[in-house]
């Protein structure tokens, strides 16, 4: 089935969200609409829609004019078996003791490595991205220095690969949460594929705002691989829900943003333990004082 995209950019979150709502009323209607901040500090937001019929050019032009957005760029995507494509492109990833792979590479796990299976159809957060890879390597270094996580949570877990990694190396169950129920369902599917249903509990939550997380607090290790803005907003709650001498592994941070994130967390009672850059992305390990 052919697919079209229509993308534009404009200033400000409120304006972008209003345009996203307006796009949903188009005929033919989009199968999905996304509103995303461009993470470069410019205040620019991207609004995009996916269509199974060619979108109405006049309707898009009217919307862009009404909302002071740039003209929409409309593209037709080629028909691709994306799962097959991802299987070809996603080679296994090694991060210290961890080996992240798809089922098509299950026979490639080296001796002595901890295997984490992420299916190609659920490929966001496989370990290929610098943020996930950085978090896995940070976890590996904590294990190497003798740290044992007794109460661990993965905030914004995506595929739950970080929660599963923690559950593979330490004996206690691990919590994994995401703000979106679809993401939670993906996490649960990956947990089941790794036979970790009894070890990783996936819940829907915004930050620490869920009964399961409130009851389990304080944690001695928190993963938060999200984005700079949410990480900064989460800092006071992170301090509240992390035990003294506990660790926070943070990523989703562009390299130029790292100093600001570090500064906010220091103001909230953390010390910087480790800072690692992988291509454009920084991973931070902080200890609560």
């Amino acid at each position: 089935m052919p697919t079209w995209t229509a993308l534009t950019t404009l200033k400000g979150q409120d304006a972008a969200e209003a345009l996203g709502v307006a796009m949903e009323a188009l005929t033919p209607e989009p199968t999905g609409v996304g509103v995303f901040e461009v993470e470069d500090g410019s205040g620019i937001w991207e609004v995009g829609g996916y269509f199974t019929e060619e979108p109405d050019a006049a309707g898009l032009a009217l919307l862009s004019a009404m909302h002071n957005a740039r003209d929409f760029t409309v593209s037709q995507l080629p028909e691709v078996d994306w799962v097959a494509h991802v299987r070809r492109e996603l080679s296994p990833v090694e991060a210290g003791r961890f080996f992240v792979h798809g089922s098509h590479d299950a026979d490639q796990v080296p001796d002595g490595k901890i295997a984490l299976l992420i299916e190609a159809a659920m490929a966001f957060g496989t370990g290929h991205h610098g943020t996930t890879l950085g978090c896995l390597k940070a976890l590996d270094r904590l294990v190497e220095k003798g740290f044992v996580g007794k109460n661990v949570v993965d905030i914004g877990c995506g595929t739950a690969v970080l929660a599963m990694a923690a559950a593979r190396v330490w004996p206690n169950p691990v919590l994994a949460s995401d703000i979106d129920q679809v993401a939670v369902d993906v996490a649960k599917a990956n947990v089941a594929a790794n036979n970790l249903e009894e070890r990783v509990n996936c819940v829907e939550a915004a930050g620490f705002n869920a009964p399961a997380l409130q009851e389990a607090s304080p944690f001695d290790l928190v993963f938060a691989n999200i984005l700079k803005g949410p990480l900064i907003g989460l800092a006071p709650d992170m301090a509240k829900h992390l035990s003294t001498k506990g660790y926070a592994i943070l990523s989703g941070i562009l390299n130029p943003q790292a100093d600001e994130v570090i500064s906010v967390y220091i103001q909230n009672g953390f010390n910087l333990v480790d800072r690692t850059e992988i291509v454009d992305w920084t991973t931070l390990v902080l200890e609560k004082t």
Side-chain angles (χ1 to χ4, degrees), residues 79 88 128 168 173 179 200 213 240 265:
E79 294 189 48
R88 289 194 299 271
H128 290 76
R168 289 286 194 210
I179 197 168
V200 179
L213 275 68
K240 177 181 176 182
Y265 274 78

Side-chain angles (χ1 to χ4, degrees), residues 74-96:
V74 177
S75 304
Q76 184 175 358
L77 302 178
E79 294 189 48
V80 175
D81 182 344
W82 288 107
V83 171
H85 175 76
V86 169
R87 282 178 175 158
R88 289 194 299 271
E89 296 297 322
L90 289 185
S91 56
V93 169
E94 289 192 47

Side-chain angles (χ1 to χ4, degrees), residues 3 13 31 35 39 41 58 69 72 84 86 100 105-106 131 145 150 163 192 201 204 227 254 257 269 280 284:
T3 302
Q13 180 177 357
T31 58
V35 179
E39 282 287 312
F72 278 89
V86 169
V100 185
D105 285 314
T131 60
K145 68 186 283 188
K150 298 180 177 66
N201 180 25
E204 183 179 359
L227 291 170
L254 290 166
Q257 300 171 340
D280 296 327
L284 303 175

Side-chain angles (χ1 to χ4, degrees), residues 41-103:
S42 65
I44 298 295
W45 288 68
E46 181 179 85
V47 179
Y50 289 87
F51 300 80
T52 54
E53 300 177 58
E54 186 171 2
D56 176 33
L60 290 172
L62 181 61
L63 285 182
S64 63
M66 291 175 59
H67 293 268
N68 295 316
R70 289 182 176 273
D71 292 339
F72 278 89
T73 299
V74 177
S75 304
Q76 184 175 358
L77 302 178
E79 294 189 48
V80 175
D81 182 344
W82 288 107
V83 171
H85 175 76
V86 169
R87 282 178 175 158
R88 289 194 299 271
E89 296 297 322
L90 289 185
S91 56
V93 169
E94 289 192 47
R97 71 197 66 223
F98 303 107
F99 186 85
V100 185
H101 66 94
S103 57

Side-chain angles (χ1 to χ4, degrees), residues 192-259:
N194 285 269
N195 298 312
L196 287 169
E197 297 101 320
E198 303 300 318
R199 307 274 296 106
V200 179
N201 180 25
C202 303
V203 299
E204 183 179 359
F208 293 92
N209 188 25
L213 275 68
Q214 297 284 338
E215 292 168 9
S217 175
F219 300 95
D220 54 9
L221 174 62
V222 177
F223 296 103
N225 181 15
I226 40 181
L227 291 170
K228 181 200 81 172
L231 285 173
I232 288 175
L234 196 62
D237 270 355
M238 186 76 74
K240 177 181 176 182
H241 293 286
L242 196 64
S243 59
T244 301
K245 300 299 181 182
Y247 292 100
I249 296 178
L250 312 182
S251 199
I253 307 162
L254 290 166
N255 294 336
Q257 300 171 340
D259 287 341

